Amino acid sequence: MAKWGEGDPRWIVEERPDATNVNNWHWSEKNASGWSKAKLKSLFEGLQLEDPNLCTVTIKEMTKCEGEATASNRKGKLIFFYEWVLTMDWSACLLADPKRDVKGTLEIPNLSEENDPHEIDVTVVVTAGGSGGDAAKEFIRKKGIVTIQSKIKEYIDTLKQEYATDLIKPTKGQAVTKQTKTIVTSTTPTSNTPPTVNSTANEVEKMDLGVKIRTSQLTLNQTFKCTADELYRALTQREMVAAFTRGDVKLEVEKGGKFEFFGGNISGEFEELVPNKRIVQKWRFKSWPSGHYSKVTLEIDQKDDCTEIQLTQTSVPASELEKTREGWRNYYWESIKRTFGFGAILL
């Protein structure tokens, strides 16, 4: 093994003074979910949206903040994954009738790296206030949304600044400096700003932050010679899943329950279970970018002489589409038919 300072030209990666993650080649990941929840709450709770001729809307409380966020480094490139569903309570003070009780809720269902801030949807509901509530709702939808989207952008920008510095390791010739979670608001040096912080900010500014993954949708249909109950059990009973996957499985068949098949190569979580009718899962393959999940919906339909299943899988990395398609056919459908006799035997 080459020693530090005695580089062998046959090595294709750079040396590093601390011998950790050479040339930033391997995946490294930081969980940003806890930080994100606190940040989103601080950005929205107490936020006021003002129309000087109509009303002042105040976001009182974030009642729902569900999702996750991660920051990853692969081969020196930063990848940010975040997916959130937000629900908030709001109230409004009408200039024409300040004593009227006007309030409602708003939901942001699609805060993710797949949407730019200006593409974020906001669903507004009025729970009290009559016609005054309807006027406040229209104000939020048409004008207030600009401020809401600006706060989303602030969250995304701060996430990238906050979680970028520690993921990219210094290469040969760079000092190994312990980074702190300092939010850099300016890249212009001042007499009070340490040079290392300015250097880091400049490097982060040049990096390709927030890399988007190009995704595709997969649709498959398959017919089995069995009842809907038999097929549903084959997909949800631990012993039957272990039989057709030919190995040990981890399986928690309940909403929010985790699963892991094929030695951890397939993993995910159950989002919906309707016996003999529907299974909805968060689903990922181990080789996919860290933190990236697709959504799998399995619709089961029993016919007179067979049972059909329709699979719809969204957010599949485009480069993995054909591999994923063949995996379902070979390791799920055909294996289920061979194991339980639900189809023709393949010769």
Side-chain angles (χ1 to χ4, degrees):
M1 181 176 180
K3 297 180 180 179
W4 176 248
E6 298 178 3
D8 188 328
R10 293 172 296 176
W11 290 96
I12 62 170
V13 295
E14 290 185 36
E15 299 162 315
R16 275 181 30 83
D18 60 0
T20 303
N21 201 4
V22 177
N23 201 30
N24 297 287
W25 190 257
H26 302 292
W27 276 106
S28 56
E29 180 179 296
K30 293 167 71 175
N31 188 327
S33 298
W35 174 91
S36 292
K37 288 182 179 180
K39 184 64 179 178
L40 289 166
K41 280 179 174 287
S42 70
L43 286 171
F44 285 104
E45 290 186 348
L47 177 66
Q48 291 190 332
L49 313 173
E50 297 185 7
D51 183 333
N53 299 315
L54 179 63
C55 65
T56 298
V57 174
T58 303
I59 296 179
K60 308 294 289 185
E61 181 184 5
M62 183 173 290
T63 57
K64 178 181 178 182
C65 183
E66 294 184 354
E68 59 183 325
T70 58
S72 305
N73 159 49
R74 176 63 166 126
K75 299 181 181 178
K77 178 173 287 188
L78 291 169
I79 300 173
F80 291 89
F81 170 83
Y82 48 90
E83 187 173 37
W84 297 101
V85 176
L86 310 178
T87 303
M88 308 170 214
D89 290 339
W90 59 267
S91 65
C93 179
L94 301 176
L95 297 183
D97 190 0
K99 293 184 178 180
R100 176 177 293 191
D101 184 24
V102 179
K103 58 186 178 180
T105 63
L106 64 85
E107 181 183 43
I108 301 175
N110 63 335
L111 173 50
S112 75
E113 80 284 353
E114 295 184 356
N115 299 294
D116 292 329
H118 70 275
E119 298 173 325
I120 297 297
D121 296 326
V122 178
T123 303
V124 186
V125 176
V126 177
T127 57
S131 60
D134 292 337
K137 171 183 175 180
E138 287 305 301
F139 161 63
I140 297 172
R141 289 181 61 251
K142 294 181 179 179
K143 296 182 179 179
I145 190 173
V146 176
T147 301
I148 293 172
Q149 290 172 339
S150 72
K151 292 298 179 181
I152 295 296
K153 184 178 185 303
E154 184 177 343
Y155 159 69
I156 296 170
D157 291 345
T158 308
L159 169 68
K160 292 175 181 179
Q161 290 178 329
E162 184 83 356
Y163 281 81
T165 54
D166 291 342
L167 280 172
I168 299 295
K169 305 296 184 182
T171 55
K172 182 179 179 180
Q174 292 180 304
V176 181
T177 305
K178 181 176 179 57
Q179 300 290 344
T180 59
K181 288 188 176 181
T182 301
I183 299 176
V184 181
T185 57
S186 172
T187 58
T188 302
T190 67
S191 58
N192 297 322
T193 306
T196 54
V197 174
N198 288 316
S199 176
T200 300
N202 290 330
E203 289 181 14
V204 170
E205 187 176 335
K206 295 176 183 177
M207 293 176 184
D208 184 10
L209 303 182
V211 176
K212 292 187 177 181
I213 302 170
R214 191 165 64 89
T215 62
S216 299
Q217 177 172 310
L218 176 63
T219 302
L220 292 171
N221 292 280
Q222 193 69 216
T223 300
F224 296 87
K225 295 293 184 179
C226 64
T227 65
D229 176 68
E230 289 172 328
L231 182 56
Y232 183 83
R233 287 191 290 113
L235 293 167
T236 57
Q237 282 194 358
R238 187 178 186 281
E239 294 77 8
M240 297 183 75
V241 175
F244 82 77
T245 59
R246 305 291 194 270
D248 191 24
V249 300
K250 296 179 181 178
L251 193 63
E252 302 169 358
V253 186
E254 60 184 10
K255 186 175 180 179
K258 310 291 186 180
F259 61 85
E260 193 172 292
F261 308 150
F262 304 107
N265 283 306
I266 300 297
S267 62
E269 177 181 316
F270 288 103
E271 293 189 337
E272 183 181 355
L273 290 157
V274 181
N276 307 334
K277 293 289 185 181
R278 183 182 306 109
I279 300 171
V280 182
Q281 305 167 330
K282 285 176 60 178
W283 190 102
R284 64 173 273 104
F285 196 71
K286 189 176 183 179
S287 64
W288 290 3
S290 179
H292 181 80
Y293 283 84
S294 64
K295 181 174 183 177
V296 170
T297 301
L298 300 169
E299 298 285 355
I300 301 171
D301 184 16
Q302 183 168 322
K303 306 294 186 181
D304 292 337
D305 60 346
C306 65
T307 295
E308 290 183 355
I309 189 167
Q310 177 173 311
L311 176 146
T312 303
Q313 186 171 9
T314 58
S315 298
V316 180
S319 61
E320 298 283 318
L321 187 66
E322 289 307 313
K323 177 182 176 181
T324 305
R325 187 194 308 275
E326 291 305 309
W328 282 105
R329 287 175 175 168
N330 296 331
Y331 297 105
Y332 276 79
W333 309 151
E334 299 304 337
S335 185
I336 287 173
K337 290 179 179 181
R338 287 194 300 268
T339 303
F340 305 118
F342 292 168
I345 300 299
L346 298 180
L347 299 179

